[in-house]
Amino acid sequence: MSAKQVLDGPALLQKIRRIAFQIYENNFEESEIVIAGIVGEGFTFAEMLCEEIKGISKIKAIPVKIDLNKEQPYERPVKFEGGTDALENKVIIVVDDVLNTGRTFSYSLAPFLSMHVKRIQVAVIVDRNYKRFPISADYKGYELSTTLSEHVQVILSDTAKRGVYLA
């Protein structure tokens, strides 16, 4: 069975731009926010959001990479690119490409709970609504109802294949 394209590149970029506007609207009083992207396409999404926010506002959006093993997130501690001092007293927006069960997000949020932050928000490109963990997205690009056996893939880093695919 081949993958079916759900969103093409231009539609995906439009969703990302809309999310950037929503983040700006909800955080317009901040001078600086942190966009923490989960390793892989989540971090690419974070970098793209930072660029969009930079283009529409004066907010300094800082991309930070969250490094964890998505398949077995409990095997090793979650690491950040750079130190945690830059995250103190900031609005943190944790982003990833797809929110399925909430497991990856749950593990990626854990280190933020031990520091003083203003607020933690969650942004995803695709929300599949199969929650097993109490995580919901504040910002969603697309809600997609799928079966449990279907796989959603978001491609951001390869501009020729950029899009959302369902297999």
Side-chain angles (χ1 to χ4, degrees), residues 9-63:
L12 181 55
L13 293 175
Q14 183 180 21
K15 298 283 185 194
I16 292 169
R17 185 165 175 79
R18 185 175 58 80
I19 291 169
F21 271 103
Q22 289 175 324
I23 289 170
Y24 171 56
E25 288 170 3
N26 289 329
N27 296 287
F28 68 91
E29 294 176 335
E30 300 298 324
S31 60
E32 196 173 274
I33 60 175
V34 174
I35 310 287
I38 296 172
V39 68
E41 295 299 283
F43 183 64
T44 303
F45 178 33
E47 291 176 314
M48 293 171 84
L49 277 175
C50 287
E51 282 302 309
E52 288 290 338
I53 291 168
K54 180 179 159 185
I56 61 174
S57 75
K58 295 185 187 295
I59 295 175
K60 181 179 179 185
I62 304 163

Side-chain angles (χ1 to χ4, degrees), residues 12 19 25-26 52 65 90-91 120 127 141 145 150-151 156:
L12 181 55
I19 291 169
E25 288 170 3
N26 289 329
E52 288 290 338
K65 185 185 288 183
K90 301 273 187 331
V91 170
I120 297 174
D127 185 357
S145 295
E150 290 176 309
H151 177 72
L156 294 170

Side-chain angles (χ1 to χ4, degrees), residues 65-134:
K65 185 185 288 183
I66 299 173
D67 186 14
L68 78 151
N69 179 342
K70 286 186 172 188
E71 299 306 314
Q72 296 178 319
Y74 45 82
E75 274 196 350
R76 62 179 167 89
V78 176
K79 294 185 218 164
F80 297 104
E81 191 178 76
T84 58
D85 292 341
L87 308 175
E88 293 281 332
N89 269 339
K90 301 273 187 331
V91 170
I92 310 286
I93 301 163
V94 181
V95 304
D96 202 7
D97 53 353
V98 179
L99 173 57
N100 189 19
T101 64
R103 184 180 75 160
T104 301
F105 269 104
S106 294
Y107 283 98
S108 68
L109 290 172
F112 295 112
L113 301 177
S114 63
M115 62 181 78
H116 181 64
V117 297
K118 281 188 180 177
R119 184 170 50 246
I120 297 174
Q121 299 171 336
V122 172
V124 296
I125 295 173
V126 177
D127 185 357
R128 289 187 62 189
N129 291 319
Y130 285 113
K131 307 294 183 292
R132 288 190 215 155
F133 291 79

